[in-house]
Amino acid sequence: DRIQMEGAVELESSDGLVAKTEAATYSQSEGLLRAPGPASFTKGRMSGSSVGMTYDKGRDAIAMLDRASMAMAPDTPDEPPVRITSGSAYFARADRYVRYERDFTLVSGARTLSSALATAYLTDDGARVETLEMRGSSRITGVGDGAGALRAMEADDINLEFAADGRTLAGATLASARPGRAAIELGAAGGTRRIAGQWIDVRFAPDGATASGLTVRESVALTLPAAPKEPPRTITAATLTATAEGGTSLNAARFVDNVEY
């Protein structure tokens, strides 16, 4: 019932997943492969490693028990790789999602995402991310740096939607239990515009960085950078909607209810 394997153990699935470790135990009755020490896997452009790994044959799922690390090689040489670390991770291959727990961090070029935990939902072929749900102290930096580009965002929870390439941002929804805790920073002439509220929805232009649509609800506060002979200014309201009329970046805004300038 139980098979003990030691010394450069390597296992390969029919779809190209290759797992390696120095020692493993396989339980035939449970359909579980357990590797207590350092282990790694590769499949196509994706790779991962951890200290302690379990493979559930019936669920077609990999549990990365401690010091989990995953990487996604780029499609083209001019794109940066994606590197993810977390305390642990669960890669449900059949159900096409990866759950990261105990401090999720993703780095890709200048962009950094972090939260207490996160779940990535993958495309049918498992090669790209469709959506990413970040939960607890969520923050994203390095999105863009031009005028109208979203530079950073933070909230209790952030949901991200990606374009077909699995890298370019198509939209983001931010939510927080406390007023003003959800916030984004947009590039502007002479500085940065900060927009805070309790719920924010951002739509992106095709570049995945420039905000082309914006809705903010509950305790809205827009802080404008200082201009020549003018100090920073703040506009508050109950609701804010902004659109890109005749262009790709936001150029028209509408404040509703309890507006103060």
Side-chain angles (χ1 to χ4, degrees):
D1 177 69
R2 193 172 297 272
I3 302 172
Q4 183 73 36
M5 296 169 281
E6 295 184 1
V9 178
E10 181 173 320
L11 302 168
E12 184 171 358
S13 67
S14 59
D15 66 349
L17 175 75
V18 178
K20 297 180 180 180
T21 185
E22 290 301 313
T25 301
Y26 180 67
S27 170
Q28 292 179 312
S29 60
E30 297 176 298
L32 291 178
L33 177 75
R34 296 181 175 90
S40 64
F41 74 87
T42 58
K43 184 184 184 300
R45 296 185 299 110
M46 181 182 292
S47 61
S49 65
S50 64
V51 177
M53 186 178 291
T54 300
Y55 176 66
D56 187 326
K57 183 179 179 181
R59 292 186 171 89
D60 192 12
I62 300 172
M64 307 167 70
L65 304 181
D66 192 37
R67 284 175 271 175
S69 176
M70 295 183 71
M72 181 72 73
D75 285 322
T76 60
D78 59 340
E79 292 179 344
V82 176
R83 302 189 183 281
I84 302 171
T85 58
S86 60
S88 61
Y90 184 78
F91 182 13
R93 300 205 317 138
D95 295 324
R96 300 187 303 279
Y97 73 85
V98 187
R99 184 176 67 243
Y100 305 93
E101 297 184 345
R102 293 161 37 211
D103 297 329
F104 161 83
T105 300
L106 181 153
V107 178
S108 179
R111 186 173 301 182
T112 300
L113 289 65
S114 62
S115 59
L117 56 91
T119 304
Y121 295 93
L122 310 177
T123 54
D124 288 345
D125 61 3
R128 292 173 176 81
V129 178
E130 287 187 333
T131 60
L132 177 67
E133 296 180 354
M134 303 168 61
R135 297 292 180 265
S137 302
S138 305
R139 181 166 176 78
I140 302 172
T141 59
V143 180
D145 56 10
L150 193 146
R151 295 183 176 177
M153 49 184 152
E154 62 179 344
D156 292 340
D157 303 327
I158 299 177
N159 289 353
L160 299 178
E161 304 162 36
F162 293 90
D165 62 1
R167 291 172 174 267
T168 304
L169 283 174
T173 304
L174 296 73
S176 288
R178 294 167 292 162
R181 177 66 181 83
I184 63 173
E185 296 178 3
L186 294 172
T192 300
R193 289 175 290 175
R194 187 178 190 274
I195 304 170
Q198 200 162 343
W199 184 90
I200 300 175
D201 182 82
V202 188
R203 300 293 103 185
F204 291 95
D207 66 0
T210 304
S212 60
L214 177 66
T215 303
V216 189
R217 298 175 186 162
E218 305 296 336
S219 304
V220 177
L222 165 61
T223 302
L224 302 171
K229 299 182 181 179
E230 290 187 3
R233 294 155 292 162
T234 299
I235 304 171
T236 60
T239 303
L240 164 64
T241 56
T243 56
E245 296 185 359
T248 57
S249 61
L250 302 176
N251 55 21
R254 182 171 182 263
F255 296 88
V256 179
D257 293 335
N258 303 319
V259 181
E260 293 186 13
Y261 180 72

